[in-house]
Structures are given as C-alpha cells and as structure tokens.
Amino acid sequence: MARRSYIYLFVFCAIFGLWAAPGQAAEPHEIGKYGAWTSYVLMEQGNKVCYMVSKPIKDEGKYTNRGEIFALITHRPAENTKDVFSYITGYTYKHGSDAAVTIDGERYMLFTQEDTAWARDAKADARLAKAIRKGSNMVVRGTSRYGTLTTDTYSLKGSGSAYKAITKECGIR
C-alpha cells in the first residue's frame, strides 16, 4: 500500500512539475513591472539570481526571420557579480562583430557571441547599468551573420525602479 502512495505522489509531482532535476533553475518569479521593465528573481542551484528585462518598443532591419529580443541586467550575489548587461538579439551575430548601445547620446560597445552581446568587463557593466537607470532611451545596433543591420529602440521608463527592486531582492549594497 505504501508503494502505491509513492507512485501516486511521483505521478502527481511529475504531472504538475513539482520536482526539478538537481541543479536546475527554478521558474522565475516576477518581482514587479516598472514602466517598460520587469524585474524577476529565481533560484539557481540554491542561490538567488535577480534580473530586470525589457523588450524593444521598435525593432528595425531588413530581416525575414528574427526571434525574441531582450535587454537584461542581472545580479548573481553568490558569484559576486552585479549589473551584468546582456543583450539577446533574436539572430546570430556576424562573427567577430561588435554591437553598439547608445543611451541618451552616449555610446557603449559590446562584444558578441552567437545571439548575445555583453559589455567587455565589470566596469563597463556598471557604467551601462547606471546609464540605463538614469537614461530615457536606448538604441542597440548590430549586424547578423548574413550582414543584416538592425536597430532596436528601448524606453528606459521604469528602469531605475526595476533596478532598485532587483538590488533589494538580491541584497546588493
């Protein structure tokens, strides 16, 4: 009889996704929406990861197929990292190309790999995160592996509040 109870429990948990494989990240939990930005927290191998994300208000380019586009700032206190900027572009970047971010007239360069672009180091991440928090608009330009130029425009409305939310949630000082 006890064995049958365990089988039912296993089936119930499997159906409703209550068991995750060891080391897997849990589903993100929304902290809040702030203007054009949303903040989230998730547990990854027992450690909090907090991030804020936004999608462009306008994406331009002569492409036929493009996936989802996101700008993110992530804190991983267990890894002693914060303000990590990443950009998911929805296509594979041209090998060896850079992407450019312009925030209120100030330009920042990102290195690219596959479909993602990052700031070059922690100092650049911190400068970019500060500019996003305090800015009003952001434009990201990149080149696909086929040579297609893209321009994505973001509103930075709410980015300061979203940043405060992830910083508080992850206990960053």
Side-chain angles (χ1 to χ4, degrees), residues 39-56:
S39 58
Y40 294 91
V41 62
L42 62 83
M43 295 301 289
E44 188 176 77
Q45 298 179 349
N47 300 305
K48 274 188 178 181
V49 176
C50 303
Y51 64 96
M52 56 189 268
V53 62
S54 186
K55 295 181 85 169

Side-chain angles (χ1 to χ4, degrees), residues 28-91:
H29 168 73
E30 183 179 303
I31 300 168
K33 292 183 191 289
Y34 308 91
W37 292 78
T38 305
S39 58
Y40 294 91
V41 62
L42 62 83
M43 295 301 289
E44 188 176 77
Q45 298 179 349
N47 300 305
K48 274 188 178 181
V49 176
C50 303
Y51 64 96
M52 56 189 268
V53 62
S54 186
K55 295 181 85 169
I57 56 174
K58 183 178 182 182
D59 56 289
E60 301 172 272
K62 293 182 180 180
Y63 46 83
T64 55
N65 189 20
R66 188 170 183 192
E68 297 283 339
I69 311 163
F70 300 101
L72 301 100
I73 295 176
T74 305
H75 297 328
R76 293 176 184 271
E79 296 176 14
N80 201 28
T81 64
K82 67 177 188 172
D83 296 343
V84 176
F85 179 82
S86 57
Y87 191 72
I88 314 267
T89 196
Y91 60 75

